[in-house]
Amino acid sequence: MSEVEYVVEGAVAWIRLNRPEYRNAQNSAMTYALDAAFRVATDDDAVKVIVLAGNGKHFCAGHDIGTPGRDVDKSFERQAVIWWDHVDKEGGDQRFARESEVYLGMCRRWREVPKPVIAMVHGACIAGGLMLAWSCDFIVASDDAFFSDPVVRMGIPGVEYFAHPWVMNPRAAKEFLFTGDRFSAQRALELGMVNQVVPREELEDVVRAMADRISAMPRFGLALTKKAVNQAEDLQGMRAGMDSVFGLHHFAHAHNAEVSTDSLGGLDAKSMAARNKEQAGE
Ligand code: ZN
């Protein structure tokens, strides 16, 4: 089974994360499959708008930190940044290489796809899932969607694509990170992090209608407009801010590796999920 499904309907390319049995946890195979899908959609002149969605009950539960398909020790043909392969390296050398490519680099690349990309979010959108949704141009969420970045529990200051202070206000970003709490779709809407919240059963229709409306605009005009807004966002410090935080992020990984059993502070998918659920009162 492919990690990503790709279907074109009219002028819209639908990219669906396809590891529903693992709540669409992202392994490298998935990020490279996503990258390939974005490239196909970019090259296809018939495609005007791209939708990124998730199969199954949830949009995406984060990076793969514990499924049988976890592939952190595998090499892939690198696409996002010019750096050496991580696999035969050690410690920070290995982590920095991998995360520069597979996480930060990929998300930045997707943010620059020259066609409008709509994230269609339902259910969980946690940690690495946020990175996918945030690198899209905008987010339409169903009323059952929720967002959280609980990685501070691992002693790490947020996920690798540190857009938090830009996609919501800095005080909200601190609350989001300090508590690790789930923000509902409604709260995310109030903070300007999502564009629209709709009933679950209407989600796909609303996104389809929006994609159709956008696809009436000229392709090159859309591409330039996207670039214009992205450039403005970068002038507000997002790109440089993320670079500086990436250093703190890797300092935290290294500190964990030094004082605990591993770079994630001894927490894996199971223990993280248990603590997240406990905190959410489930
Ligand atoms: Zn990391």
Side-chain angles (χ1 to χ4, degrees), residues 99 160 249 253:
E99 296 202 344
E160 293 82 5
H249 181 96
H253 276 316

Side-chain angles (χ1 to χ4, degrees), residues 1-4 18-19 22 24-34 60 62-72 74 76 98 102-103 106 110:
M1 189 170 77
S2 170
E3 288 80 7
V4 165
N18 194 34
R19 300 184 78 205
Y22 304 117
N24 293 323
Q26 297 164 51
N27 53 9
S28 294
M30 180 186 270
T31 62
Y32 282 96
L34 258 178
C60 179
H63 294 143
D64 187 341
I65 55 172
T67 83
R70 192 171 190 226
D71 53 8
V72 289
K74 279 199 189 134
F76 290 82
R98 180 169 183 274
V102 179
Y103 296 156
M106 286 283 192
W110 302 333

